[in-house]
Amino acid sequence: MIDELRALDVALIHDASIRPASGLTVLTGETGTGKTALLSSIKLLVGERADASSVREGAAGLTVEARLFLPDSDEDGVVVRRRVSADGRSRVEIDGHLSSVRELSERVGSTVDLCGQHEHQRLLRVQTHVELLDAWAQEKAERARAAYGEALLVAKQAAAELARIQEMGRSAQEQVDEAAFVLNRIDEVGPSVEELRELEEVLPRAEHAESLLRAAHGARDALVDEGGVTELISSAAALLRDAASHDAALDRMAEALESSLIDLEDIASDLRSYQESVDFDPEQLDELQSRMAAYQGLLRAYGPSVEDVLARREEAAELVSAVRDGDELECKARERLAKAEDTLTKAAKDLDDLRRKAAPELAAAITKEMAGLEMGSAEVAFDIQPLPREQWQAQGPSKVELLYRPAANMTARPLRRIASGGEVSRVMLAVKVVLGEAAGVSGTGAETLVFDEVDAGVGGATARSLAQVLARLAKTHQVIVVTHLPQVAVVAERHYLVSKAADGAGGVPETTLVELSGEERTAEVARMLSGSATQASLAHARELLDEAQRQLA
C-alpha cells in the first residue's frame, strides 16, 4: 500500500505530494492539467522503464519517492526513491541503500497494478487470457502449471538427447575412425592421475641413482671414516674436557661439541639407510622412462593435463559407442522420451481439466459484475481449444481465449473483434474486481490498484454503478482513480484536485495537487457536474456527497 508519494520535476510537476487513503482516492481536474504526470510517477515507482522525456523542462533530473507498506516490511514501512537524470540514467534506493530497477519491480511492482489504456490493450491480447484463469484458480493452478512446466522441460531435454544421439550416429566415418584411434591410443597407456604423480616422484631418483649413491657414500665416509669429522670433533671435545678443570667455560663448549657429535652420528646412520634404499636397476629405469614417455606423448596430443586426456577419452568413447551401439542408445533415448511424454500428457490433462473447471466459474463471476456495470445481458465466456503437441508452450497445452457476447441471443466472439472501447474498459474493471476480491480473500495479488480512463465513455446510470463497484473494490484494496465522473468522485475517502498554473517555476507551466475537503470539494464536484459552480450544481453536489457519505457509513 502506498502511504505517501512525492514527485519532483516529473513532466509538469515541480513538487507535489499525495497521501492516498487506504480505500478509494480520486484525482480530478480539467483536461490537460497533468494528471498523467502523477501516473508517470507511479510507473517509475513500480519499476517501469525510465524515460528522460519525463524530466521537467529545465530540470537536471526527476525524483519520485514514496513510503509504502509492503507484505515483507515492518511497521515503519519501506522508503523507495527513484531518480532519473536528464540524460536518462536511473538510480534506485530502497531504505537508503542502492538497489536495482529489477528489485524495485519485484518488491513494489508486484503490489501495485496499473490499470490504464495499456491494460485495456493487454486484455485484448489472447496470450494473456490464460493468466486470468490461473489467477482465479490461485494455488491449484500454480501447482498444476509448475508440474506441467517441469514435465515439458524434461520432455524437451529427452527429445534433444534423442536428436543428439541420432546426429552422432550420422557422424562421418572418418570421425569415428579418428575417435577409435584416440580411444585405442589412450587405452594402450591406461593413464591415471595417481600414476603420473608417482612417476614424477620416482623417476628422477631412478635416473640419478648412481650419483645419489656416490653422494650418500662420500658424505658418510667424511663423517665416520678414520680422520673423519666425527673423529676430529671427538678429539676436540676430549681436549676441552681435560682443560675444563681449569676453566668451566671450556666444559660448556665440550658439551656443545658432544651434542653435535650425536647429531652427526644420527645423520651418518640415516645416510647408511638411504644407501640401502637406493636400488640401481637398469631394467626398472627403462620401464619407468618408457611409461613417462608414453604419458608425455598423450599430454602433448590431448593435454595439457591427465584430466584433459581422460576427458578426451570419454568423448571419443562416447562417439565410438554411439556408432557401434547406436541402436541400443537410440532405443533407450526413445524409451526415456516416451516416458517423459506420458508424464507430460498427464500433467497437461490435469492443467486443462483445472482450467476447464475454473473457466465457467470465472466467466459467471465476471458476467455478474458486468451486469452491475449496466452492461445488460452481455456475457463473457472462455474458449479452451487443445493445441497440437508441437505447439505446446510453457503456459499450457491449449489456447485459452476470452469471448464476448453483447446480448443473450448473440454468438460469443473474441473480445478483441466486437467489443467497443467503453465495453472493454468495463469488462476490464469487472475482471479486476473479481480477481481483486479473490486475491483479497487469499491474501495474494496487488494491494494497490490504479485506474486511468476506466470511465471513458461512461455516463448516466452506468456512472453510478461504476462508482459503486470501485467503492466495493476499495474495501479490500487501496484504489487510486483518475476520473471525470462526479459519481465516482463523491464516493472517495480522499479527493485530490489536479490543476495547472500557466507560469510556474522557471516560467514553465506547473501541475499542482491539492487535497479537497468541505466547500472546496463541493465546488469541484459541482464543476464536474455542469462545468461551473452554479447554485444548482452546488446543491446537486452537496446532495451527491451527502448521499455517498450515508452509503459509506
Side-chain angles (χ1 to χ4, degrees):
M1 185 179 75
I2 301 174
D3 180 61
E4 184 172 2
L5 172 70
R6 185 184 183 193
L8 300 169
D9 294 324
V10 180
L12 295 180
I13 295 176
H14 175 53
D15 186 351
S17 298
I18 180 175
R19 296 197 65 180
S22 59
L24 177 60
T25 300
V26 295
L27 303 173
T28 66
E30 295 183 0
T31 302
T33 54
K35 294 186 288 293
T36 55
L38 184 65
L39 296 177
S40 298
S41 301
I42 296 177
K43 290 178 181 179
L44 291 171
L45 179 67
V46 300
E48 290 201 9
R49 179 178 175 272
D51 189 344
S53 64
S54 298
V55 178
R56 179 178 169 83
E57 185 175 343
L62 64 81
T63 300
V64 178
E65 52 189 5
R67 184 170 77 153
L68 306 100
F69 292 100
L70 305 178
D72 60 348
S73 65
D74 56 25
E75 60 182 11
D76 293 327
V78 174
V79 176
V80 174
R81 182 175 291 107
R82 178 93 181 266
R83 294 189 176 95
V84 180
S85 61
D87 59 6
R89 289 181 297 177
S90 179
R91 178 187 178 95
V92 176
E93 294 178 22
I94 299 179
D95 276 340
H97 300 287
L98 284 177
S99 187
S100 65
V101 174
R102 179 178 179 180
E103 182 179 358
L104 182 65
S105 177
E106 290 174 351
R107 291 196 63 187
V108 179
S110 61
T111 69
V112 179
D113 195 352
L114 297 169
C115 313
Q117 187 62 32
H118 173 73
E119 191 73 8
H120 299 176
Q121 296 302 319
R122 187 171 181 270
L123 186 62
L124 297 179
R125 294 204 303 270
V126 177
Q127 297 86 343
T128 66
H129 295 173
V130 69
E131 298 174 9
L132 305 181
L133 279 180
D134 290 350
W136 172 259
Q138 298 179 20
E139 291 85 356
K140 291 181 181 179
E142 185 177 348
R143 290 193 296 269
R145 190 162 176 170
Y148 167 81
E150 183 178 353
L152 182 63
L153 177 60
V154 172
K156 285 182 178 179
Q157 292 173 339
E161 177 66 11
L162 175 60
R164 187 182 70 86
I165 290 174
Q166 290 173 332
E167 179 61 30
M168 289 176 63
R170 292 190 291 268
S171 297
Q173 188 60 43
E174 55 267 23
Q175 290 180 301
V176 178
D177 293 341
E178 180 186 354
F181 171 78
V182 170
L183 185 61
N184 290 334
R185 181 179 177 186
I186 295 176
D187 284 349
E188 283 179 358
V189 177
S192 71
V193 175
E194 294 75 13
E195 184 187 15
L196 178 59
R197 188 179 297 119
E198 184 179 353
L199 276 173
E200 290 173 340
E201 180 181 344
V202 173
L203 183 58
R205 291 182 60 190
E207 289 178 329
H208 300 87
E210 290 184 282
S211 59
L212 293 173
L213 284 170
R214 285 196 301 272
H217 182 75
R220 185 174 180 277
D221 287 349
L223 290 174
V224 299
D225 273 5
E226 183 177 350
V229 173
T230 55
E231 184 176 317
L232 294 175
I233 291 177
S234 179
S235 298
L239 290 173
L240 294 176
R241 285 290 185 192
D242 291 342
S245 58
H246 306 296
D247 188 346
L250 295 178
D251 191 48
R252 290 192 300 274
M253 297 178 188
E255 289 179 359
L257 287 175
E258 289 169 350
S259 177
S260 65
L261 185 61
I262 294 172
D263 294 337
L264 291 174
E265 289 173 347
D266 288 342
I267 293 173
S269 177
D270 291 342
L271 286 171
R272 180 174 182 177
S273 298
Y274 179 80
Q275 287 178 258
E276 294 174 352
S277 69
V278 177
D279 182 19
F280 177 63
D281 184 347
E283 291 184 2
Q284 182 188 24
L285 176 60
D286 287 343
E287 182 180 342
L288 291 174
Q289 288 176 332
S290 296
R291 288 296 292 170
M292 181 58 81
Y295 267 93
Q296 290 173 342
L298 293 181
L299 294 176
R300 283 193 299 270
Y302 314 116
S305 68
V306 176
E307 288 84 353
D308 295 321
V309 173
L310 295 174
R312 182 68 179 89
R313 183 201 176 280
E314 288 302 313
E315 182 182 333
E318 185 178 14
L319 180 57
V320 172
S321 176
V323 175
R324 292 177 178 172
D325 307 319
D327 291 342
E328 181 180 354
L329 288 174
E330 184 172 339
C331 181
K332 290 181 179 179
R334 288 186 183 279
E335 289 176 358
R336 288 193 293 269
L337 177 58
K339 183 178 179 180
E341 285 290 334
D342 287 343
T343 302
L344 174 60
T345 299
K346 182 181 182 306
K349 182 179 182 302
D350 291 343
L351 182 58
D352 261 356
D353 288 348
L354 179 73
R355 288 171 174 168
R356 290 183 188 280
K357 180 181 178 181
E361 299 173 356
L362 176 56
I366 295 172
T367 298
K368 181 179 178 181
E369 290 298 331
M370 289 164 52
L373 289 168
E374 304 297 329
M375 295 187 72
S377 60
E379 299 176 352
V380 293
F382 284 92
D383 181 42
I384 302 178
Q385 295 294 331
L387 294 169
R389 169 62 186 89
E390 61 273 11
Q391 294 181 21
W392 288 11
Q393 300 294 329
Q395 64 181 3
S398 298
K399 176 185 176 183
V400 177
E401 184 168 10
L402 182 65
L403 304 181
Y404 179 70
R405 181 182 290 111
N409 60 345
M410 298 182 68
T411 303
R413 296 181 180 178
L415 179 69
R416 67 185 188 280
R417 293 183 181 174
I418 61 172
S420 66
E423 288 172 322
V424 172
S425 294
R426 280 180 280 171
V427 171
M428 186 271 291
L429 179 58
V431 169
K432 291 296 178 183
V433 170
V434 170
L435 296 183
E437 290 180 343
V441 171
S442 66
T444 61
E447 296 184 349
T448 299
L449 303 176
V450 182
F451 290 97
D452 180 30
E453 300 185 9
V454 72
D455 54 10
V458 173
T462 305
R464 183 180 292 271
S465 299
L466 175 63
Q468 292 172 350
V469 168
L470 290 171
R472 193 172 85 247
L473 186 57
K475 292 179 179 180
T476 56
H477 292 72
Q478 181 184 54
V479 180
I480 302 173
V481 182
V482 176
T483 184
H484 70 276
L485 294 177
Q487 294 89 339
V488 173
V490 297
V491 298
E493 294 179 46
R494 202 161 289 171
H495 186 161
Y496 282 87
L497 173 63
V498 183
S499 58
K500 182 172 68 174
D503 190 13
V508 179
E510 181 177 337
T511 292
T512 60
L513 275 75
V514 178
E515 183 179 356
L516 300 180
S517 61
E519 287 303 310
E520 290 180 339
R521 186 178 185 188
T522 303
E524 171 61 8
V525 174
R527 181 200 65 78
M528 298 174 73
L529 285 166
S530 66
S532 62
T534 64
Q535 289 298 322
S537 63
L538 286 170
H540 191 187
R542 291 190 186 97
E543 181 182 348
L544 287 177
L545 285 165
D546 290 342
E547 181 184 353
Q549 292 306 312
R550 286 194 300 271
Q551 291 177 351
L552 292 174

